[in-house]
Amino acid sequence: MKRVKLSPSALACDFANAGVQIKAAKDGGAEYLHLDVMDGIFVPNISFGQPIVKSLSKCTDLVSDVHLMITDPIRYIEDFAKAGADIITFHVEATDDPQAVLAKIKACGKKTGISIKPATPVDAIIPYLPMCDLVLVMTVEPGFGGQKFMSDMLPKVQQLKEYAERNGLDYEISIDGGVSAENAKMCVLAGANVLVAGSSVLGKENIKEAAEDLLAATVI
C-alpha cells in the first residue's frame, strides 16, 4: 500500500496569512499543497492563476499539486510548469485530446494528473492511465469548497486501484471534495493515497492539529 499523503487545498487559506497556514499544515504532516485553478467557464467559480501558484510555490517546499479546472487546459500547461507546479492535473471533460495534454505536461518535465467529475465514469480515462502519475477522483461537484463528501464515488477509487494492480501501473490515486477525519479512512481503504482537504484542515483554527488528526484517522 502506498503511503498516505495529505494535500491541503490552498483555496481554504486566508491568503493574507497563507505562508503561516501552509507551514502549519506541513508541520502537521502535509506533503503536497493542492492548488485549484478555476476559470469560471469549466466550473462556475474563479479562483487564481499562475501568479498565485508561483508565489505559493516559493513560500513552501511542499509538492505543488496544481489542479486545472479550466477549459482547453493545454493552452496553459507551460505557464503553470514555469510557475512552479510539480504535478499538473487536468479534467478529461475539459479537452478533446487528453493524450496531447498529458504529453505536453511530460514535455515540460512535470508529473501528470488526470481528473474526473462525479458524473464521469472511470472508463473515460482508461486509455490514458499508462501516461498518468496521478488520478484525481472528485467526490464533490468541482467549483466550490465546503461541499458534502459523496461516498458513492469510492467504487471509482477501488476500480482505479484494481486496474493499476492488474496492469502493472503505478499512479497515485487522489480524492478531492469533502475529505475530513470522519471519512479519510474509508478513502484509504478504497485505495486512495492522496487526500485533498480544504476546510477540514486549512479552514480550522488549529491547522497543525487538524492535519495531524486527519492523517491519524487514515491508520488501518
Side-chain angles (χ1 to χ4, degrees):
M1 179 180 288
K2 293 180 185 292
R3 185 177 76 258
V4 177
K5 300 172 184 176
L6 174 60
S7 185
S9 174
L11 207 58
C13 275
D14 169 4
F15 277 92
N17 299 292
V20 172
Q21 293 185 338
I22 290 165
K23 183 182 183 302
K26 181 185 176 183
D27 290 344
E31 295 184 53
Y32 287 6
L33 177 65
H34 192 82
L35 298 159
D36 285 311
V37 177
M38 298 186 276
D39 64 359
I41 300 170
F42 180 70
V43 292
N45 199 4
I46 294 173
S47 58
F48 48 74
Q50 301 96 314
I52 297 294
V53 171
K54 186 174 183 179
S55 295
L56 294 181
S57 296
K58 282 181 177 178
C59 81
T60 182
D61 59 358
L62 292 175
V63 173
S64 184
D65 174 19
V66 175
H67 177 194
L68 300 181
M69 289 182 272
I70 64 175
T71 299
D72 198 13
I74 199 167
R75 298 173 296 159
Y76 294 106
I77 298 302
E78 193 169 339
D79 291 340
F80 282 103
K82 289 177 179 176
D86 296 304
I87 306 166
I88 300 178
T89 300
F90 68 98
H91 274 264
V92 70
E93 306 93 350
T95 177
D96 293 329
D97 193 349
Q99 189 164 335
V101 183
L102 288 163
K104 182 74 170 178
I105 298 169
K106 284 189 177 293
C108 290
K110 305 301 178 179
K111 289 191 173 182
T112 55
I114 198 164
S115 182
I116 49 176
K117 294 164 74 172
T120 303
V122 168
D123 288 352
I125 57 172
I126 291 288
Y128 313 112
L129 293 179
M131 296 180 70
C132 293
D133 296 302
L134 179 144
V135 183
L136 176 61
V137 175
M138 294 301 301
T139 44
V140 297
E141 286 295 336
F144 294 93
Q147 297 182 63
K148 187 178 178 183
F149 178 79
M150 298 168 68
S151 60
D152 55 342
M153 295 296 110
L154 292 178
K156 292 184 182 181
V157 175
Q158 182 70 35
Q159 186 179 349
L160 284 162
K161 180 186 177 185
E162 291 171 356
Y163 188 87
E165 290 170 350
R166 286 197 310 271
N167 293 277
L169 301 177
D170 194 34
Y171 48 76
E172 296 192 296
I173 302 174
S174 180
I175 279 192
D176 181 5
V179 175
S180 67
E182 286 69 43
N183 54 42
K185 190 169 187 175
M186 69 174 75
C187 296
V188 174
L189 286 171
N193 76 293
V194 178
L195 305 181
V196 178
S199 55
S200 63
V201 174
L202 290 173
K204 297 295 186 182
E205 189 171 338
N206 190 326
I207 291 169
K208 179 178 180 289
E209 184 178 274
E212 290 171 339
D213 288 349
L214 196 150
L215 285 168
T218 67
V219 177
I220 297 171

